[in-house]
Amino acid sequence: MSADRGSDAFRALARRRGPVVGALTDELALERARTPDPPERWAPAVAGRLGLPRAAALGPASFYADLATARGRRHVRVCSGTGCFAATGGRHVGDVERELGVAAGD
């Protein structure tokens, strides 16, 4: 299939479904904030509310780390990029763990 034909198919889907596709990530983020459960439990319901197939929500919810990772009551992100590790010799993660009294992933 040519790129133009693929784009036409996507435009046709967008016309049929409306602006739902753009709202999907926002709705997934809101639902993630409400539950510690894995995406398999809550993403299909998000898709259903938006009139999308289950896979339309489960794919992004499982792919994006902020959506896929189970959370507790609070969610703290610590940079794990090369620059952060180079600047601190990797000590920053342990510093945050000690300061908060939790281990990474808890």
Side-chain angles (χ1 to χ4, degrees), residues 10 13-14 24-25 40 44-45 47 49 51-52 55 57 67-68 75 85-86 91 94 99:
F10 184 77
L13 176 63
L24 179 60
T25 52
E40 294 79 22
R49 287 195 303 266
L52 296 169
L67 297 173
H75 180 72
F85 272 86
R91 293 182 306 276
E99 188 67 31

Side-chain angles (χ1 to χ4, degrees), residues 19-37:
V20 170
V21 176
L24 179 60
T25 52
D26 292 338
E27 290 297 318
L28 291 171
L30 288 172
E31 192 65 30
R32 162 44 74 214
R34 288 191 275 262
T35 181
D37 294 337

Side-chain angles (χ1 to χ4, degrees), residues 41-60:
R41 292 213 175 136
W42 51 266
V46 172
R49 287 195 303 266
L50 296 173
L52 296 169
R54 293 169 51 103
L58 192 52

Side-chain angles (χ1 to χ4, degrees), residues 47-84:
R49 287 195 303 266
L50 296 173
L52 296 169
R54 293 169 51 103
L58 192 52
S62 300
F63 177 77
Y64 291 107
D66 276 350
L67 297 173
T69 304
R71 297 184 182 173
R73 237 174 11 109
R74 305 217 186 236
H75 180 72
V76 177
R77 293 188 63 198
V78 178
C79 178
S80 59
T82 304
C84 293

